[in-house]
């Protein structure tokens, strides 16, 4: 497991959650930064900046990391949309500042390189055009489009029993990302059924999501319900991976002969769904 540097204290919590999940996915895969650079179109130094919270990774980089790690990119891309909104809001006051010459642009890593691949030639001659404002406007446009899409795909809501349910066929559409909200002390009940894909609590159909410490969402609720079913108490079913949930995952992994890292990944999901 890599020894990561602490993330900047000023980093927005939404960006921090994305970076933590990317770090865990990278560590779980066993790939080094050099290996990531070799398998993607982003350099080792770019990955170092992305995974240490210095730069927001572009959407394509997040998808590329999921691809080379054989993971489902859906949840990571949802986290990226939220992180991009936070990053854009924080960067807006700085949009007019000149780029730091000590920190050269990379794909998605700076205002002068939005969407460009590292190493791409610059136009010969002429003044360098500052495009920070255009990048902020483009990011806000992406956020608006994402918000409209989420409104069209009606999010999961709580029914009287406290279960997250998809409201209508739209919420069950493949690839839809249901909204997850949590209030302090809120817990969810577990009603398991068995279908073609194995056991299910009806919260998530994933078999590939990577859930490490601090992860939240319906995938976590699903895992906690399945842990309960198998006799491993994760504590309150609250949709948050805390110490109790990690201990339960480790006990399940030990009983199944898996590495006891406390991270729910594809192999652990396979055991949970039995």
């Amino acid at each position: 497991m890599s020894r990561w540097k602490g993330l900047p204290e000023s980093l927005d919590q939404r960006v921090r959650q994305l970076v933590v999940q990317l770090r865990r996915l990278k560590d779980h895969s066993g790939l080094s930064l050099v290996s990531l650079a070799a398998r993607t179109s982003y350099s080792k130094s770019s990955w170092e900046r992305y995974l240490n919270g210095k730069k927001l990774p572009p959407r394509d980089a997040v998808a590329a990391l999921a691809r080379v790690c054989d993971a489902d990119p859906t949840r990571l891309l949802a986290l990226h949309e939220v992180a991009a909104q936070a990053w854009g809001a924080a960067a807006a006051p700085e949009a007019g500042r000149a780029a730091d010459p000590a920190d050269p642009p990379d794909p998605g890593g700076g205002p002068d390189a939005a969407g460009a691949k590292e190493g791409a030639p610059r136009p010969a001659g002429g003044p360098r055009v500052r495009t920070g404002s255009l990048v902020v406007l483009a990011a806000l446009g992406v956020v608006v489009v994402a918000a409209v899409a989420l409104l069209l795909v009606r999010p999961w809501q709580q029914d009287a029993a406290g279960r997250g349910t998809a409201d209508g066929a739209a919420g069950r559409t493949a690839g839809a990302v249901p909204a997850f909200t949590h209030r302090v002390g809120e817990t969810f009940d577990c009603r398991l059924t068995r279908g073609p894909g194995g056991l299910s609590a009806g919260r998530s159909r994933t078999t590939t999501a990577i859930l490490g410490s601090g992860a939240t969402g319906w995938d976590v609720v699903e895992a906690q319900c399945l842990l309960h079913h198998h006799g491993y108490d994760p504590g309150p079913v609250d949709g948050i991976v805390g110490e109790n949930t990690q201990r339960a995952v480790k006990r399940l992994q030990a009983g199944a002969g898996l590495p006891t890292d406390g991270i729910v990944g594809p192999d652990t999901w396979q055991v949970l769904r039995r």
Side-chain angles (χ1 to χ4, degrees):
M1 189 71 69
S2 300
R3 291 183 176 273
W4 293 104
K5 298 178 182 178
L7 293 173
E9 291 293 332
S10 59
L11 197 64
D12 187 279
Q13 184 61 34
R14 291 163 289 183
V15 180
R16 183 182 299 271
Q17 185 176 9
L18 171 66
V19 174
V20 168
Q21 295 305 315
L22 294 179
R23 285 181 170 187
R24 291 188 177 280
L25 182 58
K26 179 261 182 193
D27 287 343
H28 194 67
S29 71
L31 295 173
S32 65
L33 294 180
V34 174
S35 298
L36 283 180
R39 298 189 185 192
T40 66
S41 57
Y42 300 89
S43 68
K44 176 178 178 292
S45 60
S46 293
W47 283 116
E48 188 276 332
R49 288 194 288 272
Y50 300 156
L51 296 174
N52 282 296
K54 299 176 182 177
K55 294 286 184 182
L56 179 71
R59 180 184 175 88
D60 287 348
V62 174
L65 179 61
R67 183 179 65 253
V68 300
C69 295
D70 296 323
D72 183 355
T74 303
R75 182 171 182 272
L76 290 175
L77 292 177
L79 289 175
H80 181 271
E81 288 184 1
V82 175
Q85 181 181 11
W87 190 277
E94 305 295 328
R97 291 196 339 180
D100 184 353
D103 189 13
D106 54 82
D112 296 319
K117 296 298 182 184
E118 204 161 30
R122 293 188 178 277
R128 183 174 180 175
V129 179
R130 289 156 60 181
T131 58
S133 297
L134 294 178
V135 172
V136 173
L137 291 175
L140 291 176
V142 170
V143 171
V144 171
V145 171
V148 172
L150 288 176
L151 287 175
L152 292 176
V153 180
R154 300 178 68 183
W156 286 17
Q157 300 178 2
Q158 296 301 316
D159 63 12
R163 295 180 300 147
T165 58
D167 186 5
R172 295 188 291 272
T173 303
V177 180
F180 176 84
T181 57
H182 179 266
R183 293 181 291 274
V184 176
E186 182 180 23
T187 59
F188 308 93
D189 70 332
C190 298
R191 299 184 184 182
L192 273 68
T193 59
R194 184 176 292 277
L199 280 174
S200 173
R203 313 294 184 153
S204 167
R205 290 187 288 270
T206 185
T207 57
T208 57
I210 306 296
L211 307 178
S213 177
T216 63
W218 294 116
D219 290 341
V220 178
V221 175
E222 180 80 8
Q224 289 174 328
C225 285
L226 294 174
L227 284 166
H228 263 300
H229 174 79
H230 287 288
Y232 300 97
D233 183 10
V237 179
D238 55 5
I240 303 172
V241 175
E243 293 182 0
N244 291 335
T245 299
Q246 283 192 301
R247 280 196 293 268
V249 171
K250 288 180 180 179
R251 292 196 295 270
L252 174 81
Q253 291 170 330
L258 298 175
T260 55
D261 56 9
I263 299 174
V264 177
D267 292 337
T268 305
W269 279 116
Q270 185 175 3
V271 176
L272 287 170
R273 298 272 184 207
R274 291 176 184 169

